Every structure is written in structure tokens, then in C-alpha cells.
Amino acid sequence: MLRKPIYLFLAGLALLGAGCDRGIKSHETDLAEATPGDSLMYYFGQLRAHRFWDLAVGDTTLRSLENRKKYLEGVKAGMEAVNGEETAYNIGVRMGVRMADIASKFEEEYGLELDREILYNSLAEAVAKGSDIDAQKNQSNFYSVLHNIKNNREKVLMQSAAEELARQAKARKMNKITDVLYGVRTAASSGQKIHVGDSIAVEMRFKGPDQEDLGMPSPQAVTVGDDSTAPVITLALSTLRESESAVFATSAAALLGDQAALIYLKPNDIVYLHVTVGKILKTASGNATRIEEIPDGDFDGL
């Protein structure tokens, strides 16, 4: 029964918001007298606006009035750049926008400063020859260079992540386990020690740099060292015993790798893992193959 007042309230907020955005110039379309073509363009524009708001879900900075203005300026420039009678020119415009966009993504992803003049001159040189280039050779060279860039970038990010992790762990008085894992025990037990290969009942909660819940689901049971488990989690679990709890700190890079960006984490962001181990459901077979145990004394306080 309260839905109508709530909708009215939200509509009022929307009107207030619209009143604050008068810096964006637009003209309302009168669909009552619109031609089919006008109606087609109107609804196409509305759908493109929906696409914009989809983008704004992932990048909330787009929602500001200033950035919405800039977005519309870019759209206008793009629409005016296309000349309906010049096919080759229009193809070039679209290619130029795509190349600039890809170059920007390379800069953001790999921490590079790229020279767009080299990019254009390379394209112009190849087009000026009047015949196609050796695509296979150039593709091989491109991916070889890109592979080296990725590897170098990963080393830089991992080093940065390790340094930030050490700083945060020290501030929280956590004990070092490895360069990418720190922890502190919050509930001790004299139960059996956890080994790789053991199936255990467990509860895990993942929190971000500001202790916000990351919304990552917790399994009810895991096999320690399973291929689906991140190595850093395997190491964390193998420091515990039955019925123990602990908080671990690692980097988003160590825990999630390239997937960290999917939940809007930077590689050097800290992820806190709150773990409570239950019973060992099934022990590993062949204890002689267990990883070397680290004495509890090395983890005083964990």
C-alpha cells in the first residue's frame, strides 16, 4: 500500500535532480507531431542514454554534471565528424577513435605513456605503400612486445602490492607468513593441524581495504590445496588447526590476479580473509606427501 507514495517521492527527487542539471542544453522532442523517422531517432537516442547510465554504474564519476556535459560534447563531436558522402573519411574517423581509445586503455592498464604520433605515422607509412603488410609477422612482433610489457607491469604491481601489504600488516600487528600473506589468530585450538589434501568445514569472509564486505561467497567445505583454491588461501588454511579462527591479510593481486578488477580492486589493494575452521571432514591420504609444516612458534599470535 505504500508503493504509490514512495514512487511519488522518488519522482519528486528526479524532478529536483533535473532542475539542478540545467547546464545541459537540450530540446524536448514533441512526439505527438513526430514523423516516423523522428520517433526512430528519439528512441534510439533514449537507448544510447540507457547505455550511458549502464556505464555510469561501473564508473560513478560519469554521473557528475560536469562529466555528463563532457560526454555529450564528445557525442556531438563524433556525430559531426561523420560526413555522409565521404565513405573513406568516415571509415578513417571511426578507426582513429578506436585507435585512440585502445591506446588510452593500454596506458591505463600497463602504466605507459604512449606516443600517438608514432601510432599514426606507422599506420600512414603502411597505407602509403599501396600494398598490404606482412600481417602474420607484425602480429607476432606486436604480441611479443605486449607479452614483455605485461610481465614487467606484473612485476611492478606485485612489488607495489607486497610493500603496501607489509605496511598495513605492521600497522595491524599481524605476523608475516610470506611476502604476500600476514595473519593473526583470533581463536586458538589444540585440534588436529590442517594439511594440504584435507577436506575441512570452513567459513570464510572476504573484506576490502576499508573492511567492507566484498560479497564473495564462502564455501561450507573445501579441500585444502584444490586447484580451484588460490595458493594464498591454501597457505593460510595450512597454518591452522581444527576449530581455530584467524584473520589474514593479502593483496588483491596475490588472491585474485587479473580478476581483481572485476570487483573494482586495484592489484595493491589489501584483502582481509576472516577464517573459521570447523572439523576435518576427511584427512589427506599419504601424509608423507604433505607440505613441510611450519612450526607454530613461527606464528606467535597467529
Side-chain angles (χ1 to χ4, degrees):
M1 297 297 293
L2 294 176
R3 290 182 179 177
K4 186 173 182 181
I6 290 174
Y7 289 153
L8 291 174
F9 173 71
L10 293 175
L13 287 180
L15 289 173
L16 287 174
C20 295
D21 297 347
R22 291 175 182 171
I24 296 179
K25 295 181 179 179
S26 64
H27 300 283
E28 291 188 5
T29 303
D30 184 1
L31 292 178
E33 299 181 4
T35 66
D38 291 342
S39 296
L40 181 68
M41 289 295 93
Y42 175 81
Y43 290 116
F44 182 55
Q46 291 287 295
L47 291 173
R48 291 301 88 189
H50 173 68
R51 174 60 179 152
F52 167 81
W53 288 112
D54 271 350
L55 293 172
V57 171
D59 183 358
T60 56
T61 62
L62 289 173
R63 300 178 186 181
S64 72
L65 177 59
E66 179 181 0
N67 282 336
R68 279 182 282 150
K69 282 183 178 180
K70 290 180 179 178
Y71 167 79
L72 290 173
E73 289 172 5
V75 170
K76 191 73 171 177
M79 291 175 66
E80 292 175 350
V82 174
N83 186 330
E85 298 178 358
E86 295 288 344
T87 301
Y89 175 83
N90 293 338
I91 293 173
V93 167
R94 296 187 185 99
M95 179 59 71
V97 171
R98 287 180 60 193
M99 290 168 65
D101 184 46
I102 291 171
S104 295
K105 289 178 179 177
F106 281 159
E107 289 179 325
E108 181 180 356
E109 186 168 354
Y110 303 121
L112 302 171
E113 290 186 11
L114 300 175
D115 189 335
R116 280 143 176 83
E117 194 66 22
I118 293 178
L119 176 61
Y120 170 78
N121 287 338
S122 171
L123 174 67
E125 174 189 327
V127 171
K129 289 180 178 179
S131 59
D132 198 3
I133 52 94
D134 185 338
Q136 186 172 359
K137 177 183 177 181
N138 280 275
Q139 185 178 54
S140 176
N141 291 337
F142 171 82
Y143 283 108
S144 176
V145 172
L146 184 61
H147 177 73
N148 290 333
I149 289 173
K150 284 183 175 180
N151 285 343
N152 291 334
R153 179 61 170 170
E154 184 175 343
K155 290 177 182 177
V156 170
L157 291 176
M158 291 300 285
Q159 180 63 32
S160 172
E163 292 172 356
E164 178 63 17
L165 178 60
R167 284 193 293 270
Q168 294 296 331
K170 183 179 180 179
R172 295 176 180 274
K173 298 182 179 179
M174 288 181 158
N175 301 290
K176 182 176 180 179
I177 301 173
T178 70
D179 286 341
V180 295
L181 184 65
Y182 293 74
V184 59
R185 183 179 283 115
T186 56
S189 167
S190 58
Q192 294 186 58
K193 188 168 178 59
I194 306 300
H195 296 92
V196 170
D198 289 343
S199 294
I200 61 173
V202 67
E203 179 184 351
M204 292 188 283
R205 290 180 292 122
F206 300 86
K207 295 188 176 184
D210 299 321
Q211 294 293 323
E212 74 279 14
D213 194 299
L214 295 177
M216 297 170 63
S218 170
Q220 293 182 335
V222 298
T223 298
V224 182
D226 185 86
D227 290 342
S228 63
T229 304
V232 72
I233 293 181
T234 295
L235 181 56
L237 293 174
S238 66
T239 66
L240 299 176
R241 295 177 179 273
E242 284 183 311
S243 304
E244 284 192 333
S245 297
V247 179
F248 297 94
T250 187
S251 67
L255 178 65
L256 300 167
D258 294 339
Q259 304 301 310
L262 296 178
I263 53 175
Y264 307 108
L265 289 175
K266 299 188 294 295
N268 62 342
D269 279 339
I270 308 302
V271 177
Y272 296 96
L273 173 59
H274 295 248
V275 179
T276 298
V277 175
K279 292 290 185 182
I280 296 177
L281 304 176
K282 183 179 180 180
T283 59
S285 59
N287 289 342
T289 63
R290 292 172 174 172
I291 63 170
E292 180 182 351
E293 292 188 15
I294 306 172
D296 288 342
D298 291 350
F299 297 106
D300 290 338
L302 175 62

